Amino acid sequence: MPVINKIREILLDFKYAKIFQIIAVYFALIYHVSFLIAFGLLRIYPMFLYNIYSVLLFSMLAVLVLSQKHTFERQFIFFYTEVIAHQILADYFLGGMGSFHFFIFLTGIVPLLTFRKHFGLAAFYGLLSAVGFTILEVVAPYIEPKYQLSTTALVVIKTINIASFSIVNIIGLLMYSYLVMLVEKKLQTQVEIKTYEAQAKTEKLLKIQGYIINSLANLVDNRDVDTGEHIQRTSAYVELISSKALEQGLYKDEIDSAFVDYIKRAAPLHDVGKIVVSDMILKKPGRLTEAEFEEMKLHAKEGGRVIREVFAMSDDKEFIKIAADVASCHHEKWDGSGYPNGLKSTQIPLCARIMAVADVFDALVSRRCYKEPYPVETAYKIIRESAGSHFDPQIVDIFLSQKDEIEKVMGKFTR
């Protein structure tokens, strides 16, 4: 689980391991000071004298843990040895019921938090503590105390132990809660960084992709004088059609906001295949012969090939598919009489059916080297009459429902 892995990562960080070590040592110091006072009042002198040693030891460790000159391992050996000895002496003088074996187990956890690079050693201490804890818990009821504790003495000792146990649990819970909060914040930061990096990478790729698209479109534009403004207008038309279809909930399985963006960016490439057509044919000021038209028809198939090869290394597979379909299928016809593959009806990719309407309309209203422009109303009529034969009827309806927007585009991108 990410949270558990991150907590482990944070615990193994020097800064947080040191915090745990400081808490452990200072808690042990307070614990032994409490028992020093208790054993003094109860006149249990062996334990009183030992706790003098314990308080001195943990006072020294409390100073050492604030310094980075001493390793965790050395400090822990003193810590570990003292705790084990304290519990065994407590069993011997007070009986198993008068000591508190939980701290042996707790001490076994400490190296897991502080021995950052010594997992083997930490695991050894942890296992040893677990075994010692288990043994003492099993034999505790059978240990005869050297001191006969009064009920009051037993209550005092148990109260200190229970209070210490509660404090350890509270501190542990608070520390764990803090770590979870820290981890969540760290994970959120990482997500934000990755999201930002992904967005930056996407933006960079889109800029590169846009540069390639513009370069290819300009390459065609430089060879075919009719292409430049045609590219701008047809890009605007396909955006109008696809946006309106999205707004009306048409073609729900295919059209979404990403589709609208893809087809708008792909539209300038619809005639990229013309780079394989000779200038004599592209710039011929009259009607093409049958052989010339067959060569011109190659631009559809070649356009798809060029796009797939140019964008072969791109991860944006959906864009490549739409761009290639637009280039290779925008001369297919609804009734199957188009080229290069004679596709019909919905066999023709939706993006190409949209492109077909935009492409033909713009060709009708534009001046070409072989013809004068048709009046806009005549072009609208031809488009409507071709619905069901040349064009997808639904695409025609969407297109013709936006005449005002279409004519704005014509005014904007016409010299």
Side-chain angles (χ1 to χ4, degrees):
M1 291 179 65
V3 171
I4 298 300
N5 291 335
K6 282 295 176 184
I7 288 177
R8 180 175 175 276
E9 179 184 321
I10 288 174
L11 289 177
L12 294 177
D13 181 91
F14 181 87
K15 177 175 62 176
Y16 294 102
K18 193 168 186 68
I19 290 173
F20 273 95
Q21 186 191 34
I22 290 171
I23 290 173
V25 170
Y26 276 81
F27 173 80
L29 176 60
I30 294 169
Y31 176 74
H32 285 290
V33 168
S34 300
F35 268 120
L36 178 66
I37 296 170
F39 289 138
L41 294 174
L42 295 171
R43 297 182 181 180
I44 303 175
Y45 294 114
M47 294 303 297
F48 173 77
L49 294 173
Y50 187 76
N51 273 273
I52 291 176
Y53 160 74
S54 298
V55 169
L56 291 174
L57 173 65
F58 282 107
S59 295
M60 180 182 69
L61 289 179
V63 173
L64 291 178
V65 294
L66 296 176
S67 168
Q68 295 185 8
K69 296 179 181 179
H70 298 272
T71 64
F72 286 159
E73 290 81 356
R74 288 181 184 176
Q75 295 165 18
F76 175 75
I77 290 172
F78 286 105
F79 190 172
Y80 187 84
T81 304
E82 195 287 328
V83 170
I84 297 295
H86 186 274
Q87 296 302 310
I88 291 174
L89 286 174
D91 281 339
Y92 180 78
F93 287 109
L94 309 177
M97 302 307 294
S99 64
F100 204 53
H101 304 139
F102 166 76
F103 290 104
I104 290 179
F105 186 71
L106 177 64
T107 306
I109 297 174
V110 173
L112 296 175
L113 307 178
T114 56
F115 288 11
R116 295 177 301 137
K117 298 180 181 178
H118 301 281
F119 290 105
L121 185 61
F124 168 76
Y125 281 121
L127 180 62
L128 188 63
S129 296
V131 171
F133 171 80
T134 303
I135 291 172
L136 288 175
E137 283 295 298
V138 170
V139 303
Y142 306 103
I143 298 175
E144 289 292 331
K146 300 305 176 185
Y147 279 77
Q148 294 300 320
L149 298 175
S150 65
T151 302
T152 301
L154 190 59
V155 167
V156 170
I157 292 171
K158 284 296 182 184
T159 298
I160 294 175
N161 278 329
I162 291 171
S164 300
F165 175 75
S166 300
I167 291 170
V168 167
N169 278 285
I170 291 170
I171 292 174
L173 181 61
L174 290 174
M175 289 297 293
Y176 181 79
S177 300
Y178 172 73
L179 285 173
V180 169
M181 181 190 72
L182 200 66
V183 166
E184 288 177 346
K185 186 176 179 180
K186 191 170 184 179
L187 288 174
Q188 180 62 31
T189 301
Q190 290 178 344
V191 167
E192 289 173 356
I193 290 172
K194 288 180 179 178
T195 300
Y196 174 78
E197 290 175 346
Q199 289 174 343
K201 182 179 179 182
T202 300
E203 288 176 5
K204 184 177 180 180
L205 290 174
L206 286 175
K207 285 181 180 179
I208 294 172
Q209 194 177 78
Y211 176 78
I212 294 172
I213 290 170
N214 289 333
S215 297
L216 288 172
N218 288 333
L219 180 63
V220 176
D221 186 18
N222 290 333
R223 299 191 62 232
D224 184 355
V225 294
D226 297 324
T227 302
E229 291 178 355
H230 171 67
I231 286 172
Q232 294 175 314
R233 288 191 296 268
T234 52
S235 296
Y237 295 149
V238 297
E239 183 180 16
L240 285 176
I241 295 169
S242 54
S243 296
K244 179 61 73 171
L246 176 63
E247 180 185 318
Q248 294 179 354
L250 302 174
Y251 303 105
K252 290 181 180 179
D253 294 339
E254 296 183 74
I255 297 183
D256 55 17
S257 57
F259 177 92
V260 175
D261 179 60
Y262 284 141
I263 193 171
K264 178 186 176 182
R265 289 194 285 123
L269 297 174
H270 73 278
D271 275 336
V272 72
K274 286 183 177 180
I275 61 176
V276 304
V277 181
S278 72
D279 285 347
M280 290 179 63
I281 294 174
L282 279 180
K283 299 178 181 180
K284 184 176 178 179
R287 191 175 186 84
L288 299 179
T289 66
E290 185 175 340
E292 289 170 338
F293 184 60
E294 287 300 316
E295 184 176 341
M296 176 64 85
K297 286 164 62 174
L298 291 175
H299 85 274
K301 182 178 179 180
E302 289 300 305
R305 179 187 64 80
V306 168
I307 288 169
R308 290 187 184 93
E309 289 182 1
V310 169
F311 293 101
M313 300 302 292
S314 173
D315 292 330
D316 200 348
K317 304 304 180 187
E318 187 62 25
F319 170 77
I320 296 172
K321 182 179 185 308
I322 288 176
D325 284 345
V326 162
S328 60
C329 299
H330 70 285
H331 286 293
E332 300 286 358
K333 294 184 179 181
W334 187 255
D335 62 7
S337 63
Y339 64 87
N341 298 312
L343 302 178
K344 64 185 298 185
S345 185
T346 54
Q347 291 177 336
I348 307 168
L350 176 60
C351 56
R353 301 194 320 257
I354 294 172
M355 190 72 235
V357 173
D359 186 40
V360 172
F361 175 80
D362 195 67
L364 289 170
V365 298
S366 300
R367 177 177 284 104
R368 296 293 170 87
C369 61
Y370 54 85
K371 77 169 191 65
E372 290 299 312
Y374 284 87
V376 175
E377 289 303 322
T378 302
Y380 287 147
K381 182 180 178 182
I382 292 172
I383 294 293
R384 182 171 296 283
E385 289 175 350
S386 300
S389 56
H390 190 156
F391 308 117
D392 179 339
Q394 209 165 10
I395 299 299
V396 170
D397 289 341
I398 295 171
F399 180 71
L400 295 179
S401 71
Q402 302 182 85
K403 291 182 179 180
D404 289 344
E405 296 301 319
I406 290 167
E407 288 163 28
K408 285 179 183 178
V409 170
M410 292 174 62
K412 181 177 179 181
F413 295 111
T414 301
R415 284 196 288 262

